[in-house]
Structure formats: C-alpha cells, structure tokens
Amino acid sequence: MSFLKLKSYLMGLLLLTMACSQQRPADAQTLSRSTAGGMPTAAQAQGLAVATFAGGCFWCTEEIFEELKGVKYVVSGYSGGKEANPTYEQVGSGQTSHAESFEVYYDAKQISYQQLLDVFFLAGHDPTTLNRQGPDAGPQYRSIAFYRTPQEKQLIEATIKRVNASKHYPNPIVTQVLPFSKFWPAENYHQGYYRIHPENPYIQSVSTPKIAKFRKAYPQLLKNPL
C-alpha cells in the first residue's frame, strides 16, 4: 500500500470512529445562546409553520436551521420509519427504518418554505450521497424531504429538478420525497448538541466545517446575533 493510500485509509478510520452514531453525551458547556429544548408547546407553536427533513447527523443540521432568521425552534428526532418510540441507539445502529431527522418551526412571514428548501438542498447537507453523509453511513442517514401538502411536494420536486439542472453537484440528487407521517423527538441530550458540546471531536471535525460553509453561502439569511 502506498503512503498516500495508507494516509487516506487511516484518515477514513479516524472519521469513522468519530461518526455521529458512535458519540455519547459529554459534559455540558453552556454557551451564550443555547438552542437546547424539546418540542415547543402548543402555545409556542401557535402561528408557526412546520417543515421536516432528514439529512445526516442531526447535530449539524439542527444548528444550520437554528441560525436562519424566522426559524423559532428546531427539534432533533427520528422520522421516515414505522417503529414507535425509537431510541438513538436503535436508530443509530440501523435497527429501525427511521432516519435521523429534524423538525423546523418557522414564521412564514420572515422565511419561506422555498428558502428552507434552498438551504436544505444547497448548503444543509449533500443530497447526492445515498445513505451516507460524510463518515456516517447507513439508511438512518439518508436524505429525505417530507411534505405535508401537495404544494410542498411540488416545491420539493421543482427544487430538485432545478438543482440538478444547475449542475451544482457532479451527481444527481437522491433525496427521498415522502409524505409526512410521524416525528419522534430525540432524547433531551441531543437537543442543541452543537452549542452545548463544542469540544466534541465529531463537532469540531465534521459539523463545524459544514456549518461554516453554510454561513458563507447564505449570510443574508442568518440571525444576528447567531
């Protein structure tokens, strides 16, 4: 094995050991604006629209959408499968048909569903890798855009067609377009994980570069302060 191939192989092993499914809770470090929290109450969600997506490890995708103006709450969880009350260990080890997902509660007067789709497909994750996001592999990390209305389905399909035509990615989008059925919130320690655990090796090596790329692509949509 050549030196370059050996180096690539060892780096691959390192990333796999830091994969989202391998991490356990670390000691909490509270930052200036924590995004931790479960599902909003009915009163908190009143007047807000809801969108649900899956795009790999939810530690990263939750933070990306938390940073958008008009987004009030983002909840990490599980969706796309048939099993009730799935756990992180079950989903992460591929024992269910669910994918790591996140639910976005947003003010449609401040940010549109189309803008959420643009972020999701163009900066939120890589929608062209089948059952994989970076070091995380398996159907639990597949890309899914869930729709609640026929209009949302049309927007999703039109966005996929447009992005494919633009050649933004060298490969076609493989995102599943599915009707929304049920969302199961993840365990409390996953909510706001990116901000609470900045020392986590996965956060530093995988999540932070992806979030920095998103911020560079959509500065006009960011909250101020983040």
Side-chain angles (χ1 to χ4, degrees), residues 114 117-118 120-122 125 127-128 143-146 152-169 171-178:
Q114 182 61 65
L117 289 177
D118 289 342
F120 177 70
F121 282 109
L122 294 170
H125 76 309
T128 70
S143 174
I144 311 173
F146 297 94
E152 287 186 350
K153 182 182 180 183
Q154 290 175 1
L155 286 173
I156 294 168
E157 291 174 340
T159 302
I160 292 174
K161 184 177 180 180
R162 171 169 52 84
V163 175
N164 279 335
S166 73
K167 302 299 182 182
H168 181 83
Y169 300 103
N171 298 309
I173 289 174
V174 295
T175 301
Q176 293 180 312
V177 181
L178 301 177

PDB file of all heavy atoms in Angstrom, residues 114 117-118 120-122 125 127-128 143-146 152-169 171-178:
ATOM      1  N   GLN A 114     -39.758  27.763   0.535  1.00  0.00           N
ATOM      2  CA  GLN A 114     -38.796  27.649  -0.557  1.00  0.00           C
ATOM      3  C   GLN A 114     -37.384  27.981  -0.094  1.00  0.00           C
ATOM      4  O   GLN A 114     -36.417  27.322  -0.495  1.00  0.00           O
ATOM      5  CB  GLN A 114     -39.185  28.573  -1.712  1.00  0.00           C
ATOM      6  CG  GLN A 114     -38.249  28.480  -2.920  1.00  0.00           C
ATOM      7  CD  GLN A 114     -38.211  27.105  -3.528  1.00  0.00           C
ATOM      8  OE1 GLN A 114     -39.208  26.621  -4.061  1.00  0.00           O
ATOM      9  NE2 GLN A 114     -37.061  26.427  -3.461  1.00  0.00           N
ATOM     10  N   LEU A 117     -36.035  25.054   1.667  1.00  0.00           N
ATOM     11  CA  LEU A 117     -35.632  24.039   0.698  1.00  0.00           C
ATOM     12  C   LEU A 117     -34.291  24.379   0.063  1.00  0.00           C
ATOM     13  O   LEU A 117     -33.441  23.499  -0.136  1.00  0.00           O
ATOM     14  CB  LEU A 117     -36.691  23.901  -0.397  1.00  0.00           C
ATOM     15  CG  LEU A 117     -38.017  23.260  -0.009  1.00  0.00           C
ATOM     16  CD1 LEU A 117     -38.978  23.260  -1.205  1.00  0.00           C
ATOM     17  CD2 LEU A 117     -37.814  21.827   0.482  1.00  0.00           C
ATOM     18  N   ASP A 118     -34.087  25.647  -0.266  1.00  0.00           N
ATOM     19  CA  ASP A 118     -32.823  26.057  -0.875  1.00  0.00           C
ATOM     20  C   ASP A 118     -31.652  25.761   0.057  1.00  0.00           C
ATOM     21  O   ASP A 118     -30.617  25.246  -0.368  1.00  0.00           O
ATOM     22  CB  ASP A 118     -32.861  27.542  -1.223  1.00  0.00           C
ATOM     23  CG  ASP A 118     -33.786  27.852  -2.387  1.00  0.00           C
ATOM     24  OD1 ASP A 118     -34.137  26.921  -3.140  1.00  0.00           O
ATOM     25  OD2 ASP A 118     -34.171  29.025  -2.543  1.00  0.00           O
ATOM     26  N   PHE A 120     -31.631  23.576   2.541  1.00  0.00           N
ATOM     27  CA  PHE A 120     -31.538  22.128   2.721  1.00  0.00           C
ATOM     28  C   PHE A 120     -30.794  21.475   1.558  1.00  0.00           C
ATOM     29  O   PHE A 120     -29.868  20.672   1.771  1.00  0.00           O
ATOM     30  CB  PHE A 120     -32.946  21.533   2.848  1.00  0.00           C
ATOM     31  CG  PHE A 120     -32.967  20.022   2.960  1.00  0.00           C
ATOM     32  CD1 PHE A 120     -32.505  19.401   4.114  1.00  0.00           C
ATOM     33  CD2 PHE A 120     -33.457  19.244   1.929  1.00  0.00           C
ATOM     34  CE1 PHE A 120     -32.523  18.011   4.221  1.00  0.00           C
ATOM     35  CE2 PHE A 120     -33.489  17.858   2.030  1.00  0.00           C
ATOM     36  CZ  PHE A 120     -33.015  17.242   3.186  1.00  0.00           C
ATOM     37  N   PHE A 121     -31.161  21.816   0.329  1.00  0.00           N
ATOM     38  CA  PHE A 121     -30.576  21.144  -0.834  1.00  0.00           C
ATOM     39  C   PHE A 121     -29.220  21.703  -1.254  1.00  0.00           C
ATOM     40  O   PHE A 121     -28.414  20.984  -1.844  1.00  0.00           O
ATOM     41  CB  PHE A 121     -31.542  21.214  -2.021  1.00  0.00           C
ATOM     42  CG  PHE A 121     -32.661  20.216  -1.940  1.00  0.00           C
ATOM     43  CD1 PHE A 121     -33.961  20.629  -1.691  1.00  0.00           C
ATOM     44  CD2 PHE A 121     -32.416  18.864  -2.104  1.00  0.00           C
ATOM     45  CE1 PHE A 121     -34.996  19.709  -1.607  1.00  0.00           C
ATOM     46  CE2 PHE A 121     -33.441  17.936  -2.020  1.00  0.00           C
ATOM     47  CZ  PHE A 121     -34.732  18.354  -1.772  1.00  0.00           C
ATOM     48  N   LEU A 122     -28.960  22.983  -0.972  1.00  0.00           N
ATOM     49  CA  LEU A 122     -27.737  23.605  -1.471  1.00  0.00           C
ATOM     50  C   LEU A 122     -26.651  23.798  -0.425  1.00  0.00           C
ATOM     51  O   LEU A 122     -25.480  23.972  -0.779  1.00  0.00           O
ATOM     52  CB  LEU A 122     -28.066  24.961  -2.107  1.00  0.00           C
ATOM     53  CG  LEU A 122     -28.927  24.892  -3.371  1.00  0.00           C
ATOM     54  CD1 LEU A 122     -29.388  26.285  -3.777  1.00  0.00           C
ATOM     55  CD2 LEU A 122     -28.160  24.230  -4.509  1.00  0.00           C
ATOM     56  N   HIS A 125     -26.752  19.915   3.561  1.00  0.00           N
ATOM     57  CA  HIS A 125     -26.154  18.582   3.531  1.00  0.00           C
ATOM     58  C   HIS A 125     -25.848  18.247   2.086  1.00  0.00           C
ATOM     59  O   HIS A 125     -26.081  19.062   1.189  1.00  0.00           O
ATOM     60  CB  HIS A 125     -27.105  17.551   4.146  1.00  0.00           C
ATOM     61  CG  HIS A 125     -28.258  17.159   3.262  1.00  0.00           C
ATOM     62  ND1 HIS A 125     -29.097  18.088   2.649  1.00  0.00           N
ATOM     63  CD2 HIS A 125     -28.709  15.940   2.849  1.00  0.00           C
ATOM     64  CE1 HIS A 125     -30.008  17.439   1.938  1.00  0.00           C
ATOM     65  NE2 HIS A 125     -29.784  16.148   2.039  1.00  0.00           N
ATOM     66  N   PRO A 127     -27.142  16.137  -0.789  1.00  0.00           N
ATOM     67  CA  PRO A 127     -28.287  15.312  -1.154  1.00  0.00           C
ATOM     68  C   PRO A 127     -27.998  14.289  -2.244  1.00  0.00           C
ATOM     69  O   PRO A 127     -28.915  13.623  -2.723  1.00  0.00           O
ATOM     70  CB  PRO A 127     -29.298  16.356  -1.647  1.00  0.00           C
ATOM     71  CG  PRO A 127     -28.443  17.411  -2.271  1.00  0.00           C
ATOM     72  CD  PRO A 127     -27.208  17.480  -1.411  1.00  0.00           C
ATOM     73  N   THR A 128     -26.726  14.148  -2.625  1.00  0.00           N
ATOM     74  CA  THR A 128     -26.383  13.231  -3.725  1.00  0.00           C
ATOM     75  C   THR A 128     -25.732  11.942  -3.250  1.00  0.00           C
ATOM     76  O   THR A 128     -25.444  11.067  -4.064  1.00  0.00           O
ATOM     77  CB  THR A 128     -25.434  13.921  -4.726  1.00  0.00           C
ATOM     78  OG1 THR A 128     -24.140  14.100  -4.119  1.00  0.00           O
ATOM     79  CG2 THR A 128     -25.981  15.269  -5.171  1.00  0.00           C
ATOM     80  N   SER A 143     -31.117  11.014   2.955  1.00  0.00           N
ATOM     81  CA  SER A 143     -31.689  12.343   2.732  1.00  0.00           C
ATOM     82  C   SER A 143     -33.178  12.212   2.418  1.00  0.00           C
ATOM     83  O   SER A 143     -33.562  11.461   1.518  1.00  0.00           O
ATOM     84  CB  SER A 143     -30.953  13.021   1.569  1.00  0.00           C
ATOM     85  OG  SER A 143     -31.557  14.250   1.238  1.00  0.00           O
ATOM     86  N   ILE A 144     -34.001  12.961   3.171  1.00  0.00           N
ATOM     87  CA  ILE A 144     -35.452  12.926   2.958  1.00  0.00           C
ATOM     88  C   ILE A 144     -36.016  14.334   3.089  1.00  0.00           C
ATOM     89  O   ILE A 144     -35.668  15.076   4.005  1.00  0.00           O
ATOM     90  CB  ILE A 144     -36.185  12.034   3.991  1.00  0.00           C
ATOM     91  CG1 ILE A 144     -35.528  10.662   4.136  1.00  0.00           C
ATOM     92  CG2 ILE A 144     -37.658  11.869   3.609  1.00  0.00           C
ATOM     93  CD1 ILE A 144     -36.113   9.818   5.260  1.00  0.00           C
ATOM     94  N   ALA A 145     -36.915  14.679   2.185  1.00  0.00           N
ATOM     95  CA  ALA A 145     -37.708  15.905   2.312  1.00  0.00           C
ATOM     96  C   ALA A 145     -39.160  15.464   2.475  1.00  0.00           C
ATOM     97  O   ALA A 145     -39.739  14.869   1.555  1.00  0.00           O
ATOM     98  CB  ALA A 145     -37.543  16.786   1.088  1.00  0.00           C
ATOM     99  N   PHE A 146     -39.735  15.718   3.631  1.00  0.00           N
ATOM    100  CA  PHE A 146     -41.112  15.329   3.919  1.00  0.00           C
ATOM    101  C   PHE A 146     -42.060  16.467   3.529  1.00  0.00           C
ATOM    102  O   PHE A 146     -41.776  17.628   3.784  1.00  0.00           O
ATOM    103  CB  PHE A 146     -41.286  15.031   5.407  1.00  0.00           C
ATOM    104  CG  PHE A 146     -40.472  13.873   5.913  1.00  0.00           C
ATOM    105  CD1 PHE A 146     -39.223  14.078   6.491  1.00  0.00           C
ATOM    106  CD2 PHE A 146     -40.947  12.572   5.821  1.00  0.00           C
ATOM    107  CE1 PHE A 146     -38.468  13.025   6.977  1.00  0.00           C
ATOM    108  CE2 PHE A 146     -40.197  11.503   6.294  1.00  0.00           C
ATOM    109  CZ  PHE A 146     -38.952  11.733   6.880  1.00  0.00           C
ATOM    110  N   GLU A 152     -46.316  21.661  -1.128  1.00  0.00           N
ATOM    111  CA  GLU A 152     -44.950  21.419  -0.662  1.00  0.00           C
ATOM    112  C   GLU A 152     -44.272  20.349  -1.507  1.00  0.00           C
ATOM    113  O   GLU A 152     -43.087  20.471  -1.843  1.00  0.00           O
ATOM    114  CB  GLU A 152     -44.959  21.003   0.814  1.00  0.00           C
ATOM    115  CG  GLU A 152     -45.273  22.149   1.762  1.00  0.00           C
ATOM    116  CD  GLU A 152     -45.143  21.763   3.214  1.00  0.00           C
ATOM    117  OE1 GLU A 152     -44.996  20.554   3.511  1.00  0.00           O
ATOM    118  OE2 GLU A 152     -45.196  22.658   4.071  1.00  0.00           O
ATOM    119  N   LYS A 153     -44.999  19.316  -1.878  1.00  0.00           N
ATOM    120  CA  LYS A 153     -44.423  18.272  -2.733  1.00  0.00           C
ATOM    121  C   LYS A 153     -43.985  18.853  -4.070  1.00  0.00           C
ATOM    122  O   LYS A 153     -42.882  18.551  -4.567  1.00  0.00           O
ATOM    123  CB  LYS A 153     -45.433  17.154  -2.958  1.00  0.00           C
ATOM    124  CG  LYS A 153     -44.882  16.010  -3.797  1.00  0.00           C
ATOM    125  CD  LYS A 153     -45.923  14.929  -4.037  1.00  0.00           C
ATOM    126  CE  LYS A 153     -45.351  13.792  -4.871  1.00  0.00           C
ATOM    127  NZ  LYS A 153     -46.371  12.758  -5.172  1.00  0.00           N
ATOM    128  N   GLN A 154     -44.803  19.706  -4.646  1.00  0.00           N
ATOM    129  CA  GLN A 154     -44.459  20.337  -5.920  1.00  0.00           C
ATOM    130  C   GLN A 154     -43.204  21.197  -5.787  1.00  0.00           C
ATOM    131  O   GLN A 154     -42.331  21.172  -6.667  1.00  0.00           O
ATOM    132  CB  GLN A 154     -45.634  21.188  -6.413  1.00  0.00           C
ATOM    133  CG  GLN A 154     -46.837  20.388  -6.861  1.00  0.00           C
ATOM    134  CD  GLN A 154     -48.026  21.267  -7.216  1.00  0.00           C
ATOM    135  OE1 GLN A 154     -47.944  22.493  -7.136  1.00  0.00           O
ATOM    136  NE2 GLN A 154     -49.135  20.642  -7.595  1.00  0.00           N
ATOM    137  N   LEU A 155     -43.102  21.944  -4.688  1.00  0.00           N
ATOM    138  CA  LEU A 155     -41.927  22.783  -4.473  1.00  0.00           C
ATOM    139  C   LEU A 155     -40.666  21.939  -4.300  1.00  0.00           C
ATOM    140  O   LEU A 155     -39.594  22.289  -4.826  1.00  0.00           O
ATOM    141  CB  LEU A 155     -42.127  23.682  -3.252  1.00  0.00           C
ATOM    142  CG  LEU A 155     -43.091  24.861  -3.425  1.00  0.00           C
ATOM    143  CD1 LEU A 155     -43.310  25.560  -2.085  1.00  0.00           C
ATOM    144  CD2 LEU A 155     -42.544  25.850  -4.445  1.00  0.00           C
ATOM    145  N   ILE A 156     -40.773  20.854  -3.561  1.00  0.00           N
ATOM    146  CA  ILE A 156     -39.619  19.968  -3.372  1.00  0.00           C
ATOM    147  C   ILE A 156     -39.154  19.405  -4.703  1.00  0.00           C
ATOM    148  O   ILE A 156     -37.955  19.455  -5.043  1.00  0.00           O
ATOM    149  CB  ILE A 156     -39.965  18.813  -2.404  1.00  0.00           C
ATOM    150  CG1 ILE A 156     -40.244  19.339  -0.998  1.00  0.00           C
ATOM    151  CG2 ILE A 156     -38.822  17.792  -2.364  1.00  0.00           C
ATOM    152  CD1 ILE A 156     -40.858  18.307  -0.064  1.00  0.00           C
ATOM    153  N   GLU A 157     -40.091  18.883  -5.478  1.00  0.00           N
ATOM    154  CA  GLU A 157     -39.729  18.268  -6.762  1.00  0.00           C
ATOM    155  C   GLU A 157     -39.165  19.303  -7.736  1.00  0.00           C
ATOM    156  O   GLU A 157     -38.217  19.024  -8.474  1.00  0.00           O
ATOM    157  CB  GLU A 157     -40.948  17.562  -7.349  1.00  0.00           C
ATOM    158  CG  GLU A 157     -41.357  16.331  -6.539  1.00  0.00           C
ATOM    159  CD  GLU A 157     -42.652  15.702  -7.023  1.00  0.00           C
ATOM    160  OE1 GLU A 157     -43.430  16.415  -7.728  1.00  0.00           O
ATOM    161  OE2 GLU A 157     -42.888  14.518  -6.719  1.00  0.00           O
ATOM    162  N   ALA A 158     -39.733  20.502  -7.718  1.00  0.00           N
ATOM    163  CA  ALA A 158     -39.228  21.559  -8.601  1.00  0.00           C
ATOM    164  C   ALA A 158     -37.825  21.991  -8.185  1.00  0.00           C
ATOM    165  O   ALA A 158     -36.968  22.272  -9.040  1.00  0.00           O
ATOM    166  CB  ALA A 158     -40.170  22.758  -8.579  1.00  0.00           C
ATOM    167  N   THR A 159     -37.569  22.027  -6.881  1.00  0.00           N
ATOM    168  CA  THR A 159     -36.243  22.403  -6.387  1.00  0.00           C
ATOM    169  C   THR A 159     -35.207  21.361  -6.775  1.00  0.00           C
ATOM    170  O   THR A 159     -34.102  21.688  -7.221  1.00  0.00           O
ATOM    171  CB  THR A 159     -36.262  22.590  -4.860  1.00  0.00           C
ATOM    172  OG1 THR A 159     -37.227  23.583  -4.517  1.00  0.00           O
ATOM    173  CG2 THR A 159     -34.895  23.017  -4.349  1.00  0.00           C
ATOM    174  N   ILE A 160     -35.549  20.099  -6.639  1.00  0.00           N
ATOM    175  CA  ILE A 160     -34.642  19.023  -7.042  1.00  0.00           C
ATOM    176  C   ILE A 160     -34.320  19.121  -8.529  1.00  0.00           C
ATOM    177  O   ILE A 160     -33.151  19.024  -8.939  1.00  0.00           O
ATOM    178  CB  ILE A 160     -35.255  17.647  -6.709  1.00  0.00           C
ATOM    179  CG1 ILE A 160     -35.322  17.453  -5.193  1.00  0.00           C
ATOM    180  CG2 ILE A 160     -34.444  16.522  -7.366  1.00  0.00           C
ATOM    181  CD1 ILE A 160     -36.048  16.203  -4.766  1.00  0.00           C
ATOM    182  N   LYS A 161     -35.339  19.355  -9.321  1.00  0.00           N
ATOM    183  CA  LYS A 161     -35.137  19.477 -10.771  1.00  0.00           C
ATOM    184  C   LYS A 161     -34.228  20.662 -11.099  1.00  0.00           C
ATOM    185  O   LYS A 161     -33.323  20.556 -11.942  1.00  0.00           O
ATOM    186  CB  LYS A 161     -36.493  19.636 -11.459  1.00  0.00           C
ATOM    187  CG  LYS A 161     -36.418  19.685 -12.984  1.00  0.00           C
ATOM    188  CD  LYS A 161     -37.817  19.765 -13.593  1.00  0.00           C
ATOM    189  CE  LYS A 161     -37.752  19.807 -15.121  1.00  0.00           C
ATOM    190  NZ  LYS A 161     -39.117  19.874 -15.715  1.00  0.00           N
ATOM    191  N   ARG A 162     -34.458  21.776 -10.422  1.00  0.00           N
ATOM    192  CA  ARG A 162     -33.656  22.981 -10.677  1.00  0.00           C
ATOM    193  C   ARG A 162     -32.201  22.783 -10.269  1.00  0.00           C
ATOM    194  O   ARG A 162     -31.284  23.166 -10.991  1.00  0.00           O
ATOM    195  CB  ARG A 162     -34.269  24.170  -9.930  1.00  0.00           C
ATOM    196  CG  ARG A 162     -33.410  25.429  -9.936  1.00  0.00           C
ATOM    197  CD  ARG A 162     -34.170  26.647  -9.430  1.00  0.00           C
ATOM    198  NE  ARG A 162     -34.809  26.423  -8.152  1.00  0.00           N
ATOM    199  CZ  ARG A 162     -34.191  26.559  -6.976  1.00  0.00           C
ATOM    200  NH1 ARG A 162     -32.905  26.906  -6.952  1.00  0.00           N
ATOM    201  NH2 ARG A 162     -34.841  26.371  -5.854  1.00  0.00           N
ATOM    202  N   VAL A 163     -31.986  22.198  -9.089  1.00  0.00           N
ATOM    203  CA  VAL A 163     -30.618  21.992  -8.611  1.00  0.00           C
ATOM    204  C   VAL A 163     -29.877  21.004  -9.505  1.00  0.00           C
ATOM    205  O   VAL A 163     -28.700  21.195  -9.834  1.00  0.00           O
ATOM    206  CB  VAL A 163     -30.621  21.529  -7.147  1.00  0.00           C
ATOM    207  CG1 VAL A 163     -29.204  21.189  -6.689  1.00  0.00           C
ATOM    208  CG2 VAL A 163     -31.210  22.605  -6.247  1.00  0.00           C
ATOM    209  N   ASN A 164     -30.562  19.955  -9.914  1.00  0.00           N
ATOM    210  CA  ASN A 164     -29.935  19.001 -10.836  1.00  0.00           C
ATOM    211  C   ASN A 164     -29.542  19.677 -12.143  1.00  0.00           C
ATOM    212  O   ASN A 164     -28.436  19.469 -12.668  1.00  0.00           O
ATOM    213  CB  ASN A 164     -30.869  17.829 -11.115  1.00  0.00           C
ATOM    214  CG  ASN A 164     -30.850  16.771 -10.026  1.00  0.00           C
ATOM    215  OD1 ASN A 164     -29.859  16.633  -9.305  1.00  0.00           O
ATOM    216  ND2 ASN A 164     -31.930  16.027  -9.900  1.00  0.00           N
ATOM    217  N   ALA A 165     -30.430  20.494 -12.662  1.00  0.00           N
ATOM    218  CA  ALA A 165     -30.168  21.174 -13.937  1.00  0.00           C
ATOM    219  C   ALA A 165     -29.019  22.171 -13.821  1.00  0.00           C
ATOM    220  O   ALA A 165     -28.299  22.416 -14.800  1.00  0.00           O
ATOM    221  CB  ALA A 165     -31.432  21.883 -14.419  1.00  0.00           C
ATOM    222  N   SER A 166     -28.839  22.736 -12.640  1.00  0.00           N
ATOM    223  CA  SER A 166     -27.780  23.733 -12.442  1.00  0.00           C
ATOM    224  C   SER A 166     -26.392  23.115 -12.365  1.00  0.00           C
ATOM    225  O   SER A 166     -25.387  23.841 -12.422  1.00  0.00           O
ATOM    226  CB  SER A 166     -28.040  24.517 -11.160  1.00  0.00           C
ATOM    227  OG  SER A 166     -27.769  23.720 -10.007  1.00  0.00           O
ATOM    228  N   LYS A 167     -26.319  21.801 -12.202  1.00  0.00           N
ATOM    229  CA  LYS A 167     -25.041  21.096 -12.042  1.00  0.00           C
ATOM    230  C   LYS A 167     -24.276  21.587 -10.803  1.00  0.00           C
ATOM    231  O   LYS A 167     -23.046  21.600 -10.779  1.00  0.00           O
ATOM    232  CB  LYS A 167     -24.169  21.253 -13.288  1.00  0.00           C
ATOM    233  CG  LYS A 167     -24.826  20.752 -14.568  1.00  0.00           C
ATOM    234  CD  LYS A 167     -25.145  19.278 -14.501  1.00  0.00           C
ATOM    235  CE  LYS A 167     -25.766  18.778 -15.806  1.00  0.00           C
ATOM    236  NZ  LYS A 167     -26.126  17.342 -15.733  1.00  0.00           N
ATOM    237  N   HIS A 168     -25.030  22.000  -9.798  1.00  0.00           N
ATOM    238  CA  HIS A 168     -24.407  22.422  -8.535  1.00  0.00           C
ATOM    239  C   HIS A 168     -23.590  21.281  -7.938  1.00  0.00           C
ATOM    240  O   HIS A 168     -22.544  21.512  -7.315  1.00  0.00           O
ATOM    241  CB  HIS A 168     -25.496  22.871  -7.559  1.00  0.00           C
ATOM    242  CG  HIS A 168     -24.993  23.340  -6.233  1.00  0.00           C
ATOM    243  ND1 HIS A 168     -24.529  24.620  -6.022  1.00  0.00           N
ATOM    244  CD2 HIS A 168     -24.880  22.703  -5.027  1.00  0.00           C
ATOM    245  CE1 HIS A 168     -24.156  24.766  -4.757  1.00  0.00           C
ATOM    246  NE2 HIS A 168     -24.357  23.614  -4.133  1.00  0.00           N
ATOM    247  N   TYR A 169     -24.070  20.063  -8.130  1.00  0.00           N
ATOM    248  CA  TYR A 169     -23.355  18.867  -7.701  1.00  0.00           C
ATOM    249  C   TYR A 169     -22.975  18.048  -8.932  1.00  0.00           C
ATOM    250  O   TYR A 169     -23.693  18.061  -9.938  1.00  0.00           O
ATOM    251  CB  TYR A 169     -24.240  18.008  -6.795  1.00  0.00           C
ATOM    252  CG  TYR A 169     -24.700  18.689  -5.526  1.00  0.00           C
ATOM    253  CD1 TYR A 169     -26.007  19.172  -5.413  1.00  0.00           C
ATOM    254  CD2 TYR A 169     -23.852  18.838  -4.439  1.00  0.00           C
ATOM    255  CE1 TYR A 169     -26.441  19.784  -4.247  1.00  0.00           C
ATOM    256  CE2 TYR A 169     -24.290  19.451  -3.267  1.00  0.00           C
ATOM    257  CZ  TYR A 169     -25.578  19.919  -3.176  1.00  0.00           C
ATOM    258  OH  TYR A 169     -26.010  20.533  -2.028  1.00  0.00           O
ATOM    259  N   ASN A 171     -23.127  14.909  -9.172  1.00  0.00           N
ATOM    260  CA  ASN A 171     -24.026  13.753  -9.250  1.00  0.00           C
ATOM    261  C   ASN A 171     -25.466  14.168  -8.970  1.00  0.00           C
ATOM    262  O   ASN A 171     -25.707  15.186  -8.317  1.00  0.00           O
ATOM    263  CB  ASN A 171     -23.597  12.686  -8.231  1.00  0.00           C
ATOM    264  CG  ASN A 171     -22.202  12.163  -8.498  1.00  0.00           C
ATOM    265  OD1 ASN A 171     -21.882  11.768  -9.615  1.00  0.00           O
ATOM    266  ND2 ASN A 171     -21.355  12.169  -7.476  1.00  0.00           N
ATOM    267  N   PRO A 172     -26.447  13.396  -9.452  1.00  0.00           N
ATOM    268  CA  PRO A 172     -27.851  13.756  -9.243  1.00  0.00           C
ATOM    269  C   PRO A 172     -28.290  13.582  -7.792  1.00  0.00           C
ATOM    270  O   PRO A 172     -27.721  12.791  -7.035  1.00  0.00           O
ATOM    271  CB  PRO A 172     -28.604  12.785 -10.168  1.00  0.00           C
ATOM    272  CG  PRO A 172     -27.692  11.619 -10.298  1.00  0.00           C
ATOM    273  CD  PRO A 172     -26.305  12.187 -10.285  1.00  0.00           C
ATOM    274  N   ILE A 173     -29.309  14.323  -7.416  1.00  0.00           N
ATOM    275  CA  ILE A 173     -29.876  14.256  -6.072  1.00  0.00           C
ATOM    276  C   ILE A 173     -30.604  12.921  -5.873  1.00  0.00           C
ATOM    277  O   ILE A 173     -31.327  12.454  -6.755  1.00  0.00           O
ATOM    278  CB  ILE A 173     -30.836  15.435  -5.855  1.00  0.00           C
ATOM    279  CG1 ILE A 173     -30.035  16.742  -5.738  1.00  0.00           C
ATOM    280  CG2 ILE A 173     -31.714  15.228  -4.624  1.00  0.00           C
ATOM    281  CD1 ILE A 173     -30.883  17.986  -5.674  1.00  0.00           C
ATOM    282  N   VAL A 174     -30.399  12.318  -4.692  1.00  0.00           N
ATOM    283  CA  VAL A 174     -31.037  11.042  -4.380  1.00  0.00           C
ATOM    284  C   VAL A 174     -32.006  11.175  -3.207  1.00  0.00           C
ATOM    285  O   VAL A 174     -32.459  10.178  -2.644  1.00  0.00           O
ATOM    286  CB  VAL A 174     -29.981   9.959  -4.064  1.00  0.00           C
ATOM    287  CG1 VAL A 174     -29.136   9.665  -5.293  1.00  0.00           C
ATOM    288  CG2 VAL A 174     -29.102  10.378  -2.880  1.00  0.00           C
ATOM    289  N   THR A 175     -32.341  12.394  -2.846  1.00  0.00           N
ATOM    290  CA  THR A 175     -33.248  12.653  -1.725  1.00  0.00           C
ATOM    291  C   THR A 175     -34.610  11.998  -1.933  1.00  0.00           C
ATOM    292  O   THR A 175     -35.196  12.111  -3.013  1.00  0.00           O
ATOM    293  CB  THR A 175     -33.451  14.169  -1.548  1.00  0.00           C
ATOM    294  OG1 THR A 175     -32.177  14.778  -1.302  1.00  0.00           O
ATOM    295  CG2 THR A 175     -34.392  14.475  -0.402  1.00  0.00           C
ATOM    296  N   GLN A 176     -35.107  11.323  -0.920  1.00  0.00           N
ATOM    297  CA  GLN A 176     -36.456  10.771  -0.970  1.00  0.00           C
ATOM    298  C   GLN A 176     -37.463  11.893  -0.732  1.00  0.00           C
ATOM    299  O   GLN A 176     -37.232  12.779   0.102  1.00  0.00           O
ATOM    300  CB  GLN A 176     -36.649   9.696   0.099  1.00  0.00           C
ATOM    301  CG  GLN A 176     -35.844   8.434  -0.109  1.00  0.00           C
ATOM    302  CD  GLN A 176     -36.109   7.419   0.996  1.00  0.00           C
ATOM    303  OE1 GLN A 176     -36.080   7.739   2.175  1.00  0.00           O
ATOM    304  NE2 GLN A 176     -36.360   6.179   0.617  1.00  0.00           N
ATOM    305  N   VAL A 177     -38.569  11.859  -1.449  1.00  0.00           N
ATOM    306  CA  VAL A 177     -39.663  12.813  -1.260  1.00  0.00           C
ATOM    307  C   VAL A 177     -40.842  12.016  -0.706  1.00  0.00           C
ATOM    308  O   VAL A 177     -41.457  11.223  -1.424  1.00  0.00           O
ATOM    309  CB  VAL A 177     -40.037  13.510  -2.582  1.00  0.00           C
ATOM    310  CG1 VAL A 177     -41.152  14.523  -2.350  1.00  0.00           C
ATOM    311  CG2 VAL A 177     -38.808  14.186  -3.194  1.00  0.00           C
ATOM    312  N   LEU A 178     -41.127  12.203   0.582  1.00  0.00           N
ATOM    313  CA  LEU A 178     -42.106  11.357   1.259  1.00  0.00           C
ATOM    314  C   LEU A 178     -43.182  12.178   1.964  1.00  0.00           C
ATOM    315  O   LEU A 178     -42.904  13.265   2.465  1.00  0.00           O
ATOM    316  CB  LEU A 178     -41.410  10.486   2.315  1.00  0.00           C
ATOM    317  CG  LEU A 178     -40.315   9.529   1.845  1.00  0.00           C
ATOM    318  CD1 LEU A 178     -39.706   8.808   3.034  1.00  0.00           C
ATOM    319  CD2 LEU A 178     -40.884   8.529   0.847  1.00  0.00           C
TER     320      LEU A 178
END
